[in-house]
Amino acid sequence: SDLARIQLTSRSIEPHPSVEGALLISATLQNQATFNQPHPVVEITMADLSGRAVAMRRFTPVEYLESPDPAGMVPGHLLPLVFEVIDPGSSAVAFEINFR
């Protein structure tokens, strides 16, 4: 696998519409390699104004996909994802998504 070839093509964060104290994080991944790749572990980190991490969670493919395709991510395929996370509070002003 080549994690550098899995690109984050979009991302957003918003308050959860029906769960108080929770957030919805949406992301779209794309496999830009010329070969199938395993679905990555998705790491979401939330940071304060100084860039210090205030919350972090890793999601395995079994957690973010109902039924992960054993073939993995095919080349060029867009994979939209939605993560429900606990709101770490007002100190969290930024977030980033990485692949492991």
Side-chain angles (χ1 to χ4, degrees):
S1 70
D2 182 358
L3 291 177
R5 307 288 276 148
I6 297 176
Q7 298 297 311
L8 184 65
T9 62
S10 68
R11 67 183 201 138
S12 66
I13 189 168
E14 61 188 62
H16 196 293
S18 59
V19 179
E20 190 172 330
L23 301 169
L24 282 182
I25 296 176
S26 300
T28 302
L29 313 184
Q30 184 177 36
N31 177 13
Q32 295 184 336
T34 57
F35 49 88
N36 287 19
Q37 295 207 69
H39 293 97
V41 170
V42 176
E43 180 182 273
I44 299 174
T45 305
M46 303 184 90
D48 63 15
L49 280 171
S50 67
R52 191 186 78 226
V54 295
M56 188 274 287
R57 174 143 180 226
R58 290 186 178 122
F59 294 86
T60 64
V62 174
E63 292 175 297
Y64 65 77
L65 296 171
E66 281 186 30
S67 53
D69 186 338
M73 296 178 67
V74 298
H77 181 73
L78 292 173
L79 180 63
L81 303 173
V82 176
F83 302 94
E84 296 179 313
V85 298
I86 295 170
D87 186 342
S90 60
S91 64
V93 295
F95 76 104
E96 66 178 41
I97 297 174
N98 292 296
F99 310 120
R100 304 279 179 228

